[in-house]
Amino acid sequence: EVLHREKQNAKIGEGGISHGIITPEAEQRALDTLYGFKLTMDQFQVSQRFAFATSAFRNASNGHGLAMKVKDLTKIDITIIDGEQEAQYIYQGVRQALDIGPENALIMDIGGGSVEFIIANQEETKWKESFEIGAQRLMDYFHYHDPIFLDEITKLEELLDTKLIKLTKAIQQYNPKVLIGSSGTFDTLSEIHSFGQGEAKSNQTERPLSIVGYNNIHKEIIKSNREQRMRIPGMIEMRVDMIVVASCLINYVLNRFGIEQIRVSAFALKEGVLAQVVEKVREQTTNPT
């Protein structure tokens, strides 16, 4: 049973992720956010707390220092995980949300600092890799005009050609035809798609999105400025800026690798962590030491 669910956008990578630092402003947002979470956990008398940091922390020169500041202020002990562990947690989260099936699928999770790709079926992962080409980085490098210029999209895709060579080889080997997007940008695309279809917001762990629906949304996003994007039904302010380059990345993957179907998982890293925690608690209960 979920007793409380809350999401805050601390924008830890804003202004510094492309320079290998967490800015003082981002540090303060992180501290304020986590202190608020501490108060909520105290209210619910939480006995075990699990916190994980990903790309913005692991690649910042002051990432470990900020983790210590968080611990001093909130008593929350942050574990900074590497890209491989992040990808594994994402896979565990996705397989809780939907049945991947026996055939290989390409799972994609777009963060601010990194993007994780996993090729897997319901039973096992075949390949996984984390790439430091997250939406905040791509936005810093390429999104100088709003609406984004076509030559900025071209330069973004040229970077992806060089950065995703390992992914290209893995797809040639395992031949996935389905893209499963997890949380974040994909949630927002699904919401926009649902509004366009006249459907109510989905509370299912697998959310609706089709290739045709995505293509229509992508065309609208790249021709719109921020104000126009905010007027798209289903858009949220948390995603309105980075969704442009994130959608360009999705569009690249769909077209470059001949993907035939797109699915959306509402679960990702945190649900993967939760699944592992629950499993450990069950093991301890079943086999107490």
Side-chain angles (χ1 to χ4, degrees), residues 105-256:
L106 175 65
I107 300 169
M108 178 182 185
D109 187 288
I110 305 172
S114 63
V115 178
E116 281 64 51
F117 289 100
I118 305 106
I119 299 177
N121 56 37
Q122 185 66 18
E123 299 302 320
E124 62 178 339
T125 57
K126 299 295 183 70
W127 176 90
K128 58 183 182 292
E129 188 80 26
S130 178
F131 297 88
E132 298 299 326
I133 51 167
Q136 183 66 60
R137 296 184 196 276
L138 295 179
M139 193 171 144
D140 290 350
Y141 295 152
F142 301 108
H143 195 182
Y144 294 115
H145 302 90
D146 206 21
I148 191 170
F149 283 7
L150 289 179
D151 71 324
E152 291 170 347
I153 297 175
T154 299
K155 290 175 182 176
L156 185 155
E157 292 179 342
E158 288 172 352
L159 175 76
L160 297 179
D161 283 338
T162 62
K163 293 290 186 181
L164 296 180
I165 292 173
K166 287 184 179 179
L167 175 64
T168 301
K169 292 179 179 178
I171 286 178
Q172 289 171 348
Q173 180 177 355
Y174 295 108
N175 196 33
K177 294 300 180 183
V178 177
L179 174 67
I180 301 175
S182 62
S183 71
T185 295
F186 287 96
D187 278 345
T188 300
L189 292 170
S190 177
E191 287 296 296
I192 295 170
H193 176 73
S194 295
F195 272 100
Q197 298 294 311
E199 300 173 0
K201 180 177 179 178
S202 173
N203 291 318
Q204 302 298 315
T205 56
E206 180 172 1
R207 295 179 174 164
L209 187 62
S210 66
I211 294 281
V212 173
Y214 164 74
N215 286 336
N216 291 334
I217 295 167
H218 176 68
K219 289 174 185 176
E220 185 172 8
I221 284 173
I222 62 171
K223 72 179 183 182
S224 303
N225 60 32
R226 190 181 198 277
E227 181 181 351
Q228 291 166 332
R229 292 194 298 276
M230 276 304 304
R231 293 201 294 265
I232 299 173
M235 182 66 71
I236 58 174
E237 189 165 8
M238 185 186 294
R239 305 287 176 212
V240 69
D241 297 315
M242 287 192 283
I243 200 169
V244 177
V245 291
S247 186
C248 289
L249 174 56
I250 295 167
N251 187 63
Y252 173 91
V253 169
L254 291 174
N255 293 329
R256 175 74 173 78

Side-chain angles (χ1 to χ4, degrees), residues 76-93:
I76 296 172
D77 196 358
I78 293 176
T79 301
I80 302 174
I81 59 174
D82 62 26
E84 183 173 344
Q85 182 64 72
E86 184 176 359
Q88 186 62 29
Y89 279 138
I90 289 165
Y91 168 68
Q92 294 295 342

